[in-house]
Amino acid sequence: MKFSLIAVLVVALAIGSESASLVKRDASAELEKIAKYFQDLVDNLKNVEAPEMANKAKAYFEESRAQIQPMVEKLQEQLKPLSNIEDQIKPLAASVQAQVAPLSDLVQSQVDDMLKFVVEKTKSILPPK
């Protein structure tokens, strides 16, 4: 897949860079150069064996894994204290809720009293039906 992408890119670059010069030069000579280049590319790709490529890819992944593994372990160690933070926050939240509950009840009763007062005054201002 990579080689086909590289080949397409090379074709696009070759066409782009050579298009202006093809007008001034002999087109068949330029086409022969391009054809020879791609033939050489195909020959080189045939020489590369698939197992060799697989071994190189595997070695690259192993090397990458070896570099990344210590970072992952360090990150996991740093995140361990955060895993039990929920256990620490639950009692705190319950305590805050217990302290705020009486205050919210008081505010609710005051709002109810104020609304009753507004309703009574409104009824006294409005004419009876």
Side-chain angles (χ1 to χ4, degrees):
M1 182 69 178
K2 271 187 171 177
F3 293 112
S4 61
L5 290 175
I6 292 171
V8 169
L9 178 63
V10 169
V11 169
L13 291 174
I15 290 172
S17 66
E18 298 294 330
S19 62
S21 64
L22 284 177
V23 174
K24 297 178 184 175
R25 298 185 201 168
D26 183 21
S28 62
E30 296 297 325
L31 289 175
E32 278 184 40
K33 283 183 183 178
I34 294 172
K36 184 180 181 307
Y37 175 78
F38 281 110
Q39 186 60 42
D40 291 343
L41 182 64
V42 168
D43 292 341
N44 287 336
L45 291 177
K46 286 180 183 176
N47 291 336
V48 176
E49 296 180 18
E52 180 183 334
M53 293 277 293
N55 289 338
K56 285 183 180 180
K58 186 175 181 181
Y60 174 76
F61 286 125
E62 291 294 328
E63 181 181 319
S64 298
R65 185 178 206 177
Q67 291 175 355
I68 292 174
Q69 189 67 29
M71 289 186 283
V72 170
E73 290 172 359
K74 185 176 179 182
L75 184 62
Q76 286 175 340
E77 287 296 319
Q78 290 175 349
L79 292 177
K80 267 187 183 178
L82 297 178
S83 65
N84 64 359
I85 200 162
E86 184 179 354
D87 297 336
Q88 296 172 358
I89 290 179
K90 279 184 180 179
L92 180 63
S95 171
V96 169
Q97 188 175 12
Q99 292 174 2
V100 171
L103 295 175
S104 65
D105 293 340
L106 179 64
V107 169
Q108 180 67 38
S109 66
Q110 289 178 352
V111 169
D112 288 343
D113 292 343
M114 186 177 69
L115 288 175
K116 286 178 186 175
F117 176 78
V118 169
V119 167
E120 290 173 6
K121 290 297 178 181
T122 305
K123 285 180 181 179
S124 68
I125 294 174
L126 292 174
K129 290 185 180 180

